Amino acid sequence: MEFFFYPSSVAVFGSFKKGAIAYEILGNIIEGGFEGDVTPVNPKGGEVEVANVRLKIEKKLEKNVDVAIIAIPAKFVPPLIDEIGDKVKGAVVISAGFSEVGNVDLEKELIEKARNKGVKVIGPNCAGIFGVHANFFGSFEVRVNKGGLALISQSGAFGGAALAMGNEEGIGFSAFVSYGNAADLTESDFLKYFADDKNTKVIALYIEGVKDGRKFIEALKYATSKKPVIVLKAGKSKSGSKAAQSHTGSMAGSYEIYRATFCQFNAIEVEEMEELFDAAKTFEMYESGGKRIAIITNSGGPGVLATDKAEKLGLEIAKLSEKTINELMEFLPPQCSVKNPVDLIADADYERYKKTIEILCRDENVDSLLIICVPPIFIPSEEIARAIIDAKCSKPIVVNFMAGDLVKNGIRLLDVHGFKNFLTPERAVRALKWLSLRKVFSNQDQFQ
Amino acid sequence: MEFFFYPSSVAVFGSFKKGAIAYEILGNIIEGGFEGDVTPVNPKGGEVEVANVRLKIEKKLEKNVDVAIIAIPAKFVPPLIDEIGDKVKGAVVISAGFSEVGNVDLEKELIEKARNKGVKVIGPNCAGIFGVHANFFGSFEVRVNKGGLALISQSGAFGGAALAMGNEEGIGFSAFVSYGNAADLTESDFLKYFADDKNTKVIALYIEGVKDGRKFIEALKYATSKKPVIVLKAGKSKSGSKAAQSHTGSMAGSYEIYRATFCQFNAIEVEEMEELFDAAKTFEMYESGGKRIAIITNSGGPGVLATDKAEKLGLEIAKLSEKTINELMEFLPPQCSVKNPVDLIADADYERYKKTIEILCRDENVDSLLIICVPPIFIPSEEIARAIIDAKCSKPIVVNFMAGDLVKNGIRLLDVHGFKNFLTPERAVRALKWLSLRKVFSNQDQFQ
């Protein structure tokens, strides 16, 4: 399936009038810096200008290409597949008007023709695909930065909104695929593919329902043995499931079964859209983590909020060893609290943070650390960021810096060094919770 | 208590070296545009320059002022109160080193002296206060925009982080008070005061514990009879409650009792820091709303997520009347779903949104509306924003526009017209949940 996400040539079929879908996709491909061959195709021929590049519109596809992106009226899609099937490896069918509106036969015809010609199909009724590391943006959705997250979305609009949100959250992507009606390739195929994709570190999946449960379980099991898989399941409630059915035509199925499946096969299930990105950020940093957390803070209130949330989510506030407590008491001012959460009080500086992190990291009762900082005006946030970066600690560290503009520089510095900031204490705690959910086996264990 | 939040004159006591607390507070007062009289006081005298204004530092306070802001070592505070007590109405004691570190007697002495002189005290061990509509920023925390939210915080650091976060969320504030050890004035006093403050539309309260439960209940009852009160209670869990105790020295108490109290006396309890602002945004727009919601969307996935969350939170997906369904069927394209959630599909334009809103708003089975829009590239988000603004509808409307830069203009336009955007479908649904929790009585009902 590599040709879809690392193509060397693509053809786009549709209208190239300004604002038309095919025009927008072509623009995204050109502006995104795709270095392969790009061919716009429309029976009317002519020329199209996008991003200051002028391209000839071919009346027919004459050469062989890896991927055809198709945005023409539904009824013309099956004959087109017939026509170009020998020249393309895969087709991304953007066009709507198939099974999702009751045209089941048309969709069947499309897939039969494609299979006859050995063409793999994504869609129909989808928003397209991105192969970010190949600078290939084969969708009308907003382009994103290179990184490790592969986003697989049953809903095109969800995918589009998620890409935009990911950009704002500073997430880097390896790939995006909106697979629409999943008439040929399904979420299971993509799960398996991204499990082995070298640029993908984390897979995130938005699903309403799957068609083939057995295949999904196999794919999920395989993918989670390779890397973290985050799932947002929509259509969990009675009304939500009905809405999903009328939306993608897919049976959302009993949520209980999905939940059990995610849990048993080591996927990380998130509850809300926002959590998808927090989880992706988390697993871009760490593979997994234990349940016993230590909280370091310079301000009591946020420390208490974090503690509440940790207990609510079933994490443990680690009981610090006597050795740790003694070491902390030796150098911390007497107003500090050496119990967990460790309160370094407002004037905590570089040394106080760094030493405390290192001491807690050595404690065998501690699996991972949450570091909170609400810097007072007289301590620059970069100083505390530097302490976190410099501290020798091999356990997962999740950071929550708060105070708007006051912490912007510190957050930027942390980011450069691979520490992603979480916006609130509660969101940071949730990150630790997800880490604790992911079981990591050696490959051998996994298949025993 | 008005003199605290609308003072005509203030004196600041402490060190006026750059970076010192008193210096920073003085800077905030001057830069914030306070028009009253400002007097820096330090026994050493001299001059101080802040924000290009040069001020003489008085060696003693000679004139009468409304508010003294005190940031000097703890042990000097009681004698200072003795000295200036006849000249000031209220004192905001920033200084730490009182009961929170075991110096209970020093705190007692401070309060006795203040009461002898008839001086009201906020603090000690607090971050100060803002009277935003008087341009009075008597704290070292980041300044905020004028608006309707009064934030009362037991934790100074929480308060500071919350103000910064409020700025980023576009929240307007009427006041801020960090009340620290609550040795004299407590959360209950502020609740009562802001209940009658004309510039305050919504009160938000961060508490770990209250000292006088009976007084708190009275204050809460009074405040919620006047305006919405949002509460974030920290120290809910066993470990959180312990952490709170070592932080503010206050007993967090049994959370069950707090929860029952909030519920019985009509306060809106939120779970997380982020929710505090979403709730504040919600109640800046509407007083309350019913449980039966209608969802309008142009994209299935986000509609399904909203439906799931609504059902999970105990809201009802309103059953639309036959009349409504018929009216919708009359003008919507056949691919649209006329069941709730109403899916207007991707190419929904101004007319489709506006008409649908108006039809649903007339349905007696619908209490409030959630409007989701993930605009496709060919429909500017302002167009849909305009539809929401123009639609004739007297029921609460909560909006969720998503897609990063693509919706920035639409969100801005909505904001100008009093519609605040929620970042995800789930957060928008939570807003509707809070509206449904708030019971609004006429004053007569309330006291029957």
Side-chain angles (χ1 to χ4, degrees):
Chain A
M1 214 185 286
E2 200 165 309
F3 61 82
F4 271 122
F5 301 98
Y6 301 87
S8 59
S9 52
V10 298
V12 183
F13 296 79
S15 160
F16 296 98
K17 282 186 203 142
K18 247 182 201 154
I21 298 283
Y23 172 85
E24 296 290 342
I25 294 176
L26 185 69
N28 236 357
I29 293 173
I30 303 287
E31 284 174 29
F34 179 62
E35 290 179 356
D37 193 48
V38 186
T39 311
V41 186
N42 187 297
K44 288 179 193 151
E47 279 194 332
V48 55
E49 195 185 315
V50 281
N52 295 321
V53 177
R54 189 171 282 272
L55 291 168
K56 181 167 180 265
I57 300 172
E58 302 290 339
K59 290 185 177 170
K60 275 184 159 231
L61 183 67
E62 305 284 359
K63 51 190 162 190
N64 288 359
V65 296
D66 284 337
V67 179
I69 300 179
I70 301 173
I72 65 176
K75 63 179 174 184
F76 300 127
V77 178
L80 177 67
I81 293 288
D82 238 359
E83 184 192 317
I84 64 172
D86 294 328
K87 298 198 184 71
V88 306
K89 293 182 185 162
V92 180
V93 183
I94 310 289
S95 320
F98 292 88
S99 66
E100 85 282 4
V101 293
N103 290 338
V104 178
D105 289 343
L106 192 67
E107 191 163 302
K108 261 194 200 149
E109 194 192 336
L110 157 64
I111 297 308
E112 266 166 29
K113 287 192 190 303
R115 291 199 174 143
N116 274 340
K117 298 281 184 180
V119 176
K120 294 276 177 200
V121 175
I122 296 177
N125 183 31
C126 78
I129 61 174
F130 287 173
V132 186
H133 289 268
N135 296 319
F136 172 53
F137 295 96
S139 164
F140 47 80
E141 302 293 1
V142 58
R143 293 193 302 278
V144 292
N145 295 319
K146 283 193 183 82
L149 178 65
L151 175 64
I152 306 171
S153 179
Q154 188 166 10
S155 156
F158 174 90
L163 293 169
M165 199 178 286
N167 270 347
E168 295 197 335
E169 294 266 349
I171 303 276
F173 289 84
S174 61
F176 164 62
V177 50
S178 152
Y179 61 89
N181 297 358
D184 181 27
L185 295 173
T186 70
E187 71 293 323
S188 302
D189 299 301
F190 301 115
L191 266 178
K192 265 196 200 153
Y193 172 72
F194 290 122
D196 290 321
D197 174 50
K198 65 178 190 305
N199 287 311
T200 297
K201 283 184 71 175
V202 187
I203 302 171
L205 182 62
Y206 168 93
I207 49 170
E208 296 176 5
V210 304
K211 283 181 178 167
D212 184 340
R214 190 174 301 264
K215 195 176 162 196
F216 178 67
I217 286 176
E218 281 310 312
L220 190 63
K221 206 169 150 184
Y222 181 72
T224 59
S225 77
K226 301 281 185 162
K227 45 193 77 162
V229 177
I230 303 159
V231 187
L232 177 56
K233 166 75 174 78
K236 291 192 276 263
S237 63
K238 225 175 103 189
S239 316
S241 154
K242 263 193 241 163
Q245 206 175 327
S246 76
H247 162 225
T248 43
S250 74
M251 285 293 295
S254 155
Y255 170 53
E256 296 312 314
I257 294 174
Y258 279 98
R259 203 173 57 175
T261 305
F262 301 148
C263 177
Q264 185 179 348
F265 299 105
N266 203 9
I268 305 297
E269 191 186 357
V270 295
E271 262 288 314
E272 301 193 5
M273 198 166 165
E274 193 170 80
E275 293 180 14
L276 194 78
F277 295 105
D278 278 353
K281 273 159 76 170
T282 306
F283 288 108
E284 270 222 51
M285 293 190 288
Y286 307 106
E287 266 276 358
S288 72
K291 270 186 139 180
R292 302 167 308 164
I293 70 167
I295 301 171
I296 300 173
T297 181
N298 69 342
S299 50
V304 178
L305 291 173
T307 307
D308 279 346
K309 185 53 90 179
E311 213 167 289
K312 181 153 191 192
L313 293 179
L315 292 168
E316 286 168 33
I317 306 300
K319 193 173 156 34
L320 305 182
S321 75
E322 241 174 272
K323 184 165 168 272
T324 298
I325 291 175
N326 288 336
E327 281 181 327
L328 290 175
M329 291 212 321
E330 244 168 55
F331 84 99
L332 289 177
Q335 306 93 303
C336 295
S337 169
V338 297
K339 276 177 293 187
N340 189 7
V342 178
D343 189 345
L344 303 180
I345 71 174
D347 61 351
D349 56 5
Y350 173 91
E351 271 308 309
R352 214 181 284 171
Y353 264 99
K354 178 163 176 283
K355 252 178 138 165
T356 306
I357 294 170
E358 291 177 344
I359 291 169
L360 290 182
C361 186
R362 283 195 297 268
D363 192 321
E364 286 185 356
N365 297 333
V366 172
D367 294 322
S368 40
L369 285 79
L370 167 56
I371 302 185
I372 297 173
C373 177
V374 185
I377 27 170
F378 49 87
I379 295 187
S381 64
E382 300 95 300
E383 184 180 325
I384 310 305
R386 185 58 68 191
I388 295 169
I389 293 159
D390 291 350
K392 286 183 190 67
C393 175
S394 57
K395 296 176 178 173
I397 293 179
V398 164
V399 180
N400 165 231
F401 272 28
M402 286 192 294
D405 280 338
L406 270 184
V407 290
K408 284 227 157 70
N409 292 336
I411 291 174
R412 208 170 298 129
L413 185 60
L414 284 167
D415 192 60
V416 170
H417 289 82
F419 293 97
K420 294 183 183 290
N421 188 59
F422 291 82
L423 281 180
T424 63
E426 296 95 343
R427 286 171 72 171
V429 169
R430 227 179 264 118
L432 291 169
K433 167 70 179 175
W434 291 317
L435 283 179
S436 80
L437 287 178
R438 174 147 169 85
K439 298 176 274 287
V440 178
F441 312 92
S442 72
N443 271 345
Q444 237 170 332
D445 292 340
Q446 173 75 2
F447 292 106
Q448 257 169 9
Chain B
M1 215 185 288
E2 199 164 309
F3 60 84
F4 271 121
F5 300 97
Y6 302 87
S8 58
S9 52
V10 298
V12 183
F13 297 78
S15 159
F16 295 99
K17 282 185 202 141
K18 247 183 199 155
I21 299 282
Y23 173 85
E24 295 290 342
I25 294 176
L26 184 69
N28 237 357
I29 294 172
I30 303 287
E31 284 173 28
F34 180 63
E35 290 177 357
D37 194 45
V38 186
T39 312
V41 186
N42 186 297
K44 289 179 193 150
E47 279 194 332
V48 54
E49 195 184 315
V50 281
N52 295 322
V53 177
R54 189 171 282 274
L55 291 168
K56 182 167 178 266
I57 301 172
E58 302 291 337
K59 292 187 177 170
K60 277 183 156 231
L61 183 67
E62 304 283 0
K63 50 193 164 186
N64 288 359
V65 296
D66 284 337
V67 179
I69 300 180
I70 300 172
I72 64 176
K75 63 179 173 183
F76 301 128
V77 178
L80 177 68
I81 293 288
D82 237 1
E83 184 193 317
I84 64 171
D86 293 329
K87 298 196 185 73
V88 306
K89 293 180 185 163
V92 179
V93 183
I94 310 290
S95 321
F98 293 88
S99 65
E100 85 281 5
V101 292
N103 289 338
V104 178
D105 288 343
L106 192 68
E107 190 163 305
K108 260 193 199 151
E109 193 193 336
L110 158 64
I111 298 308
E112 266 165 30
K113 288 194 189 303
R115 290 196 176 146
N116 274 340
K117 298 281 186 180
V119 176
K120 293 277 176 200
V121 175
I122 296 177
N125 182 32
C126 78
I129 62 173
F130 287 172
V132 185
H133 291 268
N135 295 320
F136 172 53
F137 295 96
S139 164
F140 48 80
E141 302 293 1
V142 58
R143 294 194 301 279
V144 291
N145 296 318
K146 283 194 183 82
L149 177 64
L151 175 64
I152 307 170
S153 178
Q154 188 166 7
S155 156
F158 175 89
L163 293 168
M165 199 178 284
N167 270 348
E168 296 198 333
E169 294 266 348
I171 303 276
F173 289 84
S174 61
F176 164 62
V177 50
S178 152
Y179 62 89
N181 297 357
D184 181 27
L185 295 173
T186 71
E187 71 293 323
S188 302
D189 299 302
F190 300 115
L191 267 177
K192 266 194 199 154
Y193 172 72
F194 291 123
D196 291 322
D197 174 50
K198 66 179 189 305
N199 286 312
T200 297
K201 281 183 75 176
V202 186
I203 301 170
L205 181 61
Y206 167 93
I207 49 169
E208 296 177 4
V210 304
K211 284 182 178 166
D212 185 340
R214 191 174 300 265
K215 196 176 162 195
F216 178 67
I217 287 175
E218 281 310 312
L220 189 63
K221 204 168 150 184
Y222 181 72
T224 58
S225 77
K226 300 283 185 160
K227 47 193 75 162
V229 176
I230 302 159
V231 186
L232 177 57
K233 166 76 174 78
K236 290 192 276 264
S237 64
K238 226 176 102 189
S239 317
S241 154
K242 263 193 240 163
Q245 206 175 329
S246 76
H247 163 224
T248 44
S250 73
M251 285 294 294
S254 154
Y255 171 53
E256 297 311 314
I257 294 174
Y258 278 99
R259 201 172 59 173
T261 305
F262 300 148
C263 177
Q264 186 179 348
F265 298 105
N266 204 8
I268 305 297
E269 190 185 359
V270 294
E271 263 287 315
E272 302 192 6
M273 199 166 163
E274 191 169 82
E275 292 180 15
L276 194 78
F277 294 106
D278 278 354
K281 272 158 78 169
T282 307
F283 288 108
E284 270 223 53
M285 293 191 288
Y286 306 107
E287 266 276 356
S288 72
K291 272 185 137 180
R292 302 167 308 164
I293 70 165
I295 300 171
I296 301 172
T297 182
N298 69 342
S299 51
V304 178
L305 290 173
T307 306
D308 279 345
K309 185 53 93 180
E311 214 168 287
K312 181 155 190 190
L313 294 179
L315 292 168
E316 286 168 33
I317 306 298
K319 194 173 155 31
L320 305 181
S321 75
E322 241 175 273
K323 185 165 167 272
T324 297
I325 290 175
N326 288 335
E327 281 181 327
L328 290 175
M329 292 214 318
E330 244 168 58
F331 85 99
L332 287 178
Q335 307 93 301
C336 294
S337 169
V338 298
K339 276 178 293 188
N340 189 8
V342 178
D343 189 345
L344 304 180
I345 70 173
D347 62 351
D349 56 4
Y350 174 91
E351 271 307 307
R352 213 182 284 171
Y353 264 99
K354 177 164 177 281
K355 249 176 141 168
T356 305
I357 295 170
E358 290 176 344
I359 291 169
L360 290 181
C361 186
R362 282 196 298 269
D363 191 321
E364 286 185 356
N365 298 334
V366 172
D367 293 323
S368 40
L369 285 79
L370 166 56
I371 302 184
I372 297 172
C373 177
V374 184
I377 28 168
F378 49 86
I379 295 185
S381 64
E382 301 95 298
E383 185 181 326
I384 310 305
R386 183 59 67 192
I388 295 168
I389 293 159
D390 291 351
K392 284 182 190 70
C393 176
S394 57
K395 295 176 180 172
I397 293 178
V398 164
V399 180
N400 163 230
F401 272 28
M402 286 192 294
D405 280 340
L406 271 183
V407 290
K408 285 228 156 69
N409 291 336
I411 291 174
R412 207 169 299 130
L413 185 61
L414 283 168
D415 192 59
V416 170
H417 289 82
F419 293 96
K420 293 180 186 290
N421 189 58
F422 291 81
L423 281 181
T424 64
E426 295 94 345
R427 287 171 73 170
V429 168
R430 227 179 265 118
L432 291 169
K433 167 70 179 179
W434 291 318
L435 283 178
S436 80
L437 287 178
R438 173 145 171 86
K439 300 176 274 288
V440 178
F441 312 93
S442 71
N443 270 344
Q444 237 169 330
D445 293 337
Q446 174 74 3
F447 292 106
Q448 254 170 11

